[in-house]
Amino acid sequence: MTIPVHSNQIDEERQAVAPYNFVPLPSAVRLMDDPPSQGYYQENLLSGKISCTLKNATPMYVRAAQTLAEFTEEKPSSEPFYYGASGKNKESLLIPGSSLRGMLRTLVEVVSYSRISPVFNKQLFYRSVENTSMGDVYRERMKDKVRAGFFHRKQSEMWITPTVAARVTRNDIRREFNVKDVYEEFDDKHNRIKPSAPNRVPKKNLQHKTVFVTLKDDAYDEPERFFNVLEFARKQTGDLEEAVLVITGDMKVRPAKDGTKKEKKEFVFLQTDSDVRISVTDEQIELFEDKDQVTQYQKYAFNGDGKLKDGDPVFYLVGDQESQVIGFGRAYMFRLPYKFSPLEMLPGEITKLPEKYDLAEALFGYVPQDKKGRKQVASRLRISDAFFQGDFQNALLDEMHLKVLSSPKPTTFQHYLTQGKPNNPDRLSHYDSPRGSTTLRGHKFYWHKGDVSLNDYKAPDNDYDEHKSQYSPAVKPIREDQTFNFDIAFENLRPEELGALLWVLDKAGDPDYRLKIGMGKPYGLGSVSIESEINFENRMLRYQKLFTEKKWQSVLETSKEKENNARSAFARWLFGTQDAAIDQVDQLSRIQELLVMLSWTEHPLPKKTRYMEVDEFAGRKHMITGESGYFPKRPVLPLPRQVFGVWSKGSTSVSEIKPIAPVEEPRIARNRVKPTPTTVSPSELKIGDAILARVIKVIKQGDVTLHCESHEKDDVCVIPIQYRSSADRYKEGNSVLLIVTKTVKTPNGWVVECEKHS
């Protein structure tokens, strides 16, 4: 099955704009043999250090780490920048090595045709009643299947008790409670609340208050229809039944077909002593209460955090049976979880062969999220923090608030998913579309914007004063043209792995390109260059001079030959042919999209890399002319090169990468009869031989080192992490029967790679 691709035929009036874009998914993921053991150095592999100098071309801000209290309360760090020492003694500015690692890994993932990672594996939520493909799906899923009930939570058990609900007019509510409006009109500081503000919530003396009603008889027999109440009162009189008032949202009400104005209505839920329990799963609660799903309105309106509490009234969607809950919410037209998560939208070509590593995983390390597929493997790169060079006090700008920085919005499917028919706004692909018809757009990058001024990224004072809750804490960005130094230490890298890293560093040092790091990327902050110098470690010479001059020696030397060989090895590995050259990598269509996003000396027009306005998303304003009116909704984000226009470096003369499976090393045939261990020397061992060895060192989630009594003192046996089973238990001093998989002669002695006999 081919991977769905994003159309490049998008009409001008249907083209969205954004400060970001996507490098498409690879046509095929290139996989590798298992990473080499890290228990010893291998002569045919590369070790050394890359000394790097980072310089920011635009102002830059890297947020400091949170304190424990800030983390617990989910608050951002209050520090204006990341410092090299905690507490009051701020010794130096720094960029954490983890930030540098993330920046470099993403680029290595792209250029090496690795899997995109990580990908969100929770369902997103949506609500749509418009006449589009998504609206059709939403209405079909909700039709005649919405019920009312009370949520209950007792220790680890959660359930919904069904009840009967009905509609009551706002006029009735205002009359009974003697209020002008059912919504709060002023905030805590007595400022009038705007109609669209998230803190415009139902009055506290109305929401979920006890009321008394009379319903028509049909209401009890048809719980999905929500009839109007016949009588509504604040106090009980006669035969009125006790109920709970539920105000769901200040939505606009469309006029009736004859043009008359409809009356706005809210809900009442009858109190019930029913013992019926419809179970709700932990996963459904986690999804509902996820911080990415709870809106600002919900936080203001419900319990301060938007989370459910025992006894809360809810609407829920039943499945094929009344006892099955598909989803639930606080409003009648609540947001539904999509059928598929972003991870589930990835095609099989990207996720197949889960037992095999890609180059980025083999190089930067991999931690499995479950017990399936490939095992954990440690990184063979150590990236230090980047420390500021000079007087940092003069390098910092004055404290300020950056313009509003929103979190990624993958629910904007017209940007985040491939669209095959972008010119038809009613038939766009989304997360309920059939699997295989669309997929994720790919790796997300932000456009460079050249030189930026203070007004490009600093929040206007009047806007900050009016919308403080939307802004992050004050920051102190660092001025442009400042220098940071850091190192990348590498051990036991295969030439193609080092070549992929060098390709990234070559681009980072090219005057035509820049990388991005830190916050404020949408507004042009964080464009950086990196100059690098690589030195290789001569292990043989190091051991010869190990204690010369009474200190531990580390012999480093430059080698342009090794550098160029690594670049060539990467190209040959990527294309799967011996005559491939490193220059051909740049000519791949997908890599051209990446280079466009990294371009510094040339970049798109500012009007094409800005945030869209709400009215432009909704079709009430034309993006190009600014004209108000009715235009197609949900414009689609074009490919990077389509946004860029004419690019001087454009070229796509190389065919796309085709899938090439790694060469399978033959695994040792299992012998059901326990073999007799051999006592020959390591030089005489053959693959498949059995040996008995004693455990001398166990690295948690790493290699196991052992020694065989029949071998020399400096010879060791190693069980690499990829051969370790989660069921195996190793204890120092215990003897283990091993099967030989590989033997290597090193300057210090023999290393015998093995796996445990089972």
Side-chain angles (χ1 to χ4, degrees):
M1 183 180 72
T2 58
I3 295 177
V5 296
H6 193 60
S7 173
N8 60 2
Q9 303 297 318
I10 307 177
D11 296 342
E12 187 176 33
E13 67 172 12
R14 290 286 301 141
Q15 292 183 18
V17 298
Y20 57 84
N21 212 303
F22 300 88
V23 175
L25 294 176
S27 53
V29 171
R30 289 288 281 113
L31 300 173
M32 306 197 81
D33 296 326
D34 289 347
S37 170
Q38 298 188 50
Y40 59 95
Y41 288 97
Q42 299 187 34
E43 290 184 85
N44 60 326
L45 300 180
L46 302 170
S47 300
K49 183 177 75 171
I50 305 174
S51 301
C52 300
T53 299
L54 180 148
K55 184 172 287 187
N56 60 313
T58 62
M60 177 178 64
Y61 171 67
V62 180
R63 170 168 287 169
Q66 298 164 293
T67 64
L68 179 60
E70 288 168 340
F71 176 79
T72 303
E73 298 173 17
E74 297 185 356
K75 293 181 178 179
S77 170
S78 56
E79 291 284 5
F81 202 91
Y82 210 114
Y83 288 93
S86 59
K88 296 181 180 180
N89 182 24
K90 305 295 193 297
E91 295 177 355
S92 176
L93 303 178
L94 66 78
I95 303 171
S98 56
S99 296
L100 298 166
R101 171 182 287 271
M103 175 182 68
L104 296 174
R105 176 169 183 149
T106 298
L107 291 161
V108 169
E109 274 186 11
V110 174
V111 73
S112 65
Y113 280 56
S114 294
R115 301 176 179 95
I116 183 172
S117 175
V119 180
F120 196 61
N121 195 22
K122 292 182 180 179
Q123 294 159 284
L124 304 173
F125 284 75
Y126 77 107
R127 171 173 48 210
S128 177
V129 293
E130 55 195 16
N131 293 320
T132 62
S133 59
M134 190 172 69
D136 293 343
V137 172
Y138 181 83
R139 286 190 297 273
E140 182 62 29
R141 291 181 69 183
M142 299 290 278
K143 185 179 179 182
D144 298 331
K145 291 187 176 182
V146 178
R147 306 288 187 267
F150 291 98
F151 171 80
H152 291 287
R153 190 197 307 256
K154 186 175 182 180
Q155 296 179 344
S156 61
E157 188 179 6
M158 293 165 291
W159 70 92
I160 293 174
T161 298
T163 189
V164 173
R167 308 299 300 269
V168 58
T169 67
R170 286 194 182 174
N171 282 340
D172 286 341
I173 298 171
R174 286 191 285 262
R175 184 194 68 246
E176 277 300 311
F177 285 87
N178 192 27
V179 294
K180 182 180 178 181
D181 195 348
V182 299
Y183 282 84
E184 298 289 357
E185 300 172 76
F186 299 93
D187 61 19
D188 295 339
K189 296 183 179 179
H190 306 292
N191 297 316
R192 182 170 289 278
I193 301 173
K194 292 184 177 181
S196 59
N199 60 338
R200 180 173 163 76
V201 298
K203 288 184 181 293
K204 294 178 182 178
N205 65 333
L206 296 180
Q207 183 69 295
H208 297 177
K209 295 302 178 183
T210 298
V211 294
F212 299 90
V213 298
T214 298
L215 308 183
K216 63 185 300 185
D217 292 341
D218 291 347
Y220 302 93
D221 300 324
E222 302 179 65
E224 74 279 3
R225 294 194 55 185
F226 304 111
F227 292 96
N228 294 332
V229 300
L230 300 179
E231 293 182 70
F232 177 82
R234 188 177 181 181
K235 297 180 180 180
Q236 185 167 23
T237 59
D239 295 330
L240 297 184
E241 294 186 76
E242 185 177 343
V244 173
L245 179 60
V246 179
I247 301 173
T248 59
D250 197 17
M251 301 292 291
K252 292 182 179 179
V253 178
R254 294 179 180 178
K257 292 182 179 180
D258 60 3
T260 57
K261 189 176 181 180
K262 290 183 180 179
E263 196 171 15
K264 291 187 177 181
K265 298 177 182 178
E266 302 298 343
F267 289 86
V268 293
F269 284 34
L270 290 186
Q271 289 286 16
T272 177
D273 57 2
S274 171
D275 57 1
V276 175
R277 294 186 175 190
I278 303 178
S279 296
V280 178
T281 65
D282 291 339
E283 290 76 13
Q284 287 175 319
I285 296 296
E286 289 174 6
L287 204 58
F288 180 88
E289 296 183 343
D290 190 278
K291 64 180 181 180
D292 293 322
Q293 306 296 351
V294 175
T295 65
Q296 282 292 101
Y297 170 82
Q298 290 172 338
K299 290 180 181 179
Y300 279 114
F302 303 105
N303 312 321
D305 56 9
K307 296 184 178 180
L308 289 163
K309 67 177 183 179
D310 186 60
D312 274 357
V314 294
F315 295 89
Y316 64 98
L317 179 69
V318 298
D320 295 332
Q321 300 177 349
E322 288 286 331
S323 60
Q324 180 186 13
V325 175
I326 303 298
F328 53 90
R330 299 189 184 274
Y332 172 62
M333 301 296 285
F334 59 85
R335 296 188 304 158
L336 276 178
Y338 280 108
K339 289 182 179 177
F340 305 116
S341 70
L343 180 63
E344 292 171 325
M345 298 302 291
L346 289 176
E349 283 76 359
I350 303 297
T351 59
K352 67 182 181 181
L353 295 177
E355 72 280 3
K356 290 295 180 181
Y357 300 92
D358 56 49
L359 188 146
E361 293 169 342
L363 183 59
F364 286 87
Y366 172 75
V367 177
Q369 301 305 306
D370 52 42
K371 295 183 178 180
K372 300 177 182 178
R374 53 205 179 280
K375 298 177 182 179
Q376 177 172 317
V377 63
S379 172
R380 285 170 288 143
L381 297 178
R382 296 194 308 275
I383 303 177
S384 72
D385 295 335
F387 284 92
F388 180 76
Q389 306 299 300
D391 180 6
F392 73 87
Q393 295 292 356
N394 295 326
L396 291 171
L397 295 168
D398 292 337
E399 191 169 82
M400 68 181 73
H401 288 277
L402 299 179
K403 289 182 176 180
V404 174
L405 296 168
S406 60
S407 59
K409 299 292 188 296
T411 48
T412 310
F413 53 80
Q414 64 270 31
H415 289 194
Y416 281 75
L417 295 181
T418 58
Q419 300 296 335
K421 298 180 179 179
N423 297 321
N424 187 346
D426 297 336
R427 291 294 173 262
L428 297 176
S429 298
H430 45 78
Y431 298 96
D432 262 6
S433 297
R435 293 182 69 176
S437 64
T438 183
T439 187
L440 305 184
R441 285 282 305 270
H443 288 82
K444 183 179 179 181
F445 289 88
Y446 286 88
W447 292 105
H448 293 292
K449 300 193 174 185
D451 297 331
V452 294
S453 66
L454 187 65
N455 291 334
D456 290 325
Y457 55 87
K458 182 179 180 294
D461 293 337
N462 58 343
D463 189 72
Y464 172 75
D465 292 338
E466 192 172 344
H467 304 99
K468 287 184 180 180
S469 64
Q470 299 180 30
Y471 285 90
S472 300
V475 303
K476 286 184 179 180
I478 192 169
R479 302 177 190 276
E480 63 271 20
D481 296 325
Q482 306 303 312
T483 301
F484 292 77
N485 288 345
F486 69 97
D487 294 327
I488 303 174
F490 59 94
E491 294 180 344
N492 278 355
L493 297 194
R494 291 172 281 207
E496 58 268 26
E497 294 170 331
L498 179 60
L501 180 61
L502 291 180
W503 185 93
V504 171
L505 292 174
D506 288 343
K507 292 297 178 283
D510 189 322
D512 290 335
Y513 303 106
R514 292 289 185 274
L515 310 187
K516 279 271 195 180
I517 196 169
M519 291 181 60
K521 298 184 189 76
Y523 301 115
L525 299 188
S527 297
V528 301
S529 63
I530 300 175
E531 296 291 336
S532 58
E533 179 180 305
I534 183 170
N535 288 277
F536 295 91
E537 193 169 64
N538 186 323
R539 303 297 301 183
M540 185 69 72
L541 190 59
R542 178 186 178 185
Y543 290 126
Q544 290 173 352
K545 296 184 176 182
L546 194 58
F547 296 111
T548 304
E549 300 177 4
K550 297 182 179 180
K551 63 180 182 180
W552 191 270
Q553 297 292 317
S554 177
V555 181
L556 295 173
E557 55 191 19
T558 60
S559 174
K560 289 297 180 184
E561 181 182 3
K562 287 184 179 179
E563 281 188 58
N564 292 329
N565 286 344
R567 293 182 179 95
S568 298
F570 170 60
R572 292 194 300 270
W573 172 85
L574 186 64
F575 289 99
T577 176
Q578 290 300 308
D579 58 357
I582 191 66
D583 292 343
Q584 292 178 283
V585 176
D586 292 12
Q587 299 171 31
L588 288 162
S589 174
R590 177 168 174 265
I591 302 306
Q592 286 275 297
E593 302 289 0
L594 170 64
L595 294 177
V596 162
M597 296 301 301
L598 300 182
S599 178
W600 171 251
T601 51
E602 303 174 74
H603 31 78
L605 296 173
K607 67 179 182 181
K608 290 189 175 183
T609 59
R610 61 174 176 83
Y611 275 121
M612 289 177 61
E613 300 174 14
V614 174
D615 285 347
E616 292 172 332
F617 267 113
R620 295 188 292 269
K621 183 178 179 180
H622 198 282
M623 286 175 299
I624 299 173
T625 65
E627 178 185 357
S628 297
Y630 294 96
F631 305 97
K633 295 181 179 180
R634 292 196 171 96
V636 175
L637 192 63
L639 290 164
R641 279 186 290 176
Q642 194 173 358
V643 174
F644 196 96
V646 178
W647 187 43
S648 63
K649 293 180 176 290
S651 172
T652 54
S653 59
V654 176
S655 300
E656 282 301 310
I657 301 296
K658 295 181 180 180
I660 303 174
V663 177
E664 291 280 355
E665 293 186 6
R667 298 299 299 272
I668 307 304
R670 295 297 182 188
N671 189 345
R672 294 182 180 274
V673 179
K674 187 175 181 179
T676 301
T678 182
T679 57
V680 300
S681 67
S683 61
E684 299 177 78
L685 285 173
K686 300 186 294 294
I687 305 301
D689 281 351
I691 57 175
L692 189 65
R694 177 174 47 83
V695 177
I696 57 176
K697 185 177 181 181
V698 180
I699 299 176
K700 186 178 181 182
Q701 298 178 337
D703 297 347
V704 179
T705 306
L706 311 94
H707 182 259
C708 180
E709 294 296 334
S710 61
H711 296 175
E712 296 294 331
K713 180 180 178 181
D714 293 332
D715 298 335
V716 295
C717 301
V718 175
I719 303 177
I721 184 173
Q722 60 264 31
Y723 290 162
R724 286 185 64 176
S725 167
S726 59
D728 290 339
R729 297 291 181 269
Y730 299 96
K731 186 176 180 180
E732 292 181 10
N734 286 359
S735 295
V736 182
L737 184 61
L738 304 173
I739 302 298
V740 176
T741 61
K742 186 178 182 181
T743 58
V744 180
K745 181 73 168 68
T746 75
N748 285 345
W750 283 91
V751 175
V752 182
E753 284 193 12
C754 308
E755 57 182 329
K756 182 180 178 182
H757 178 268
S758 58

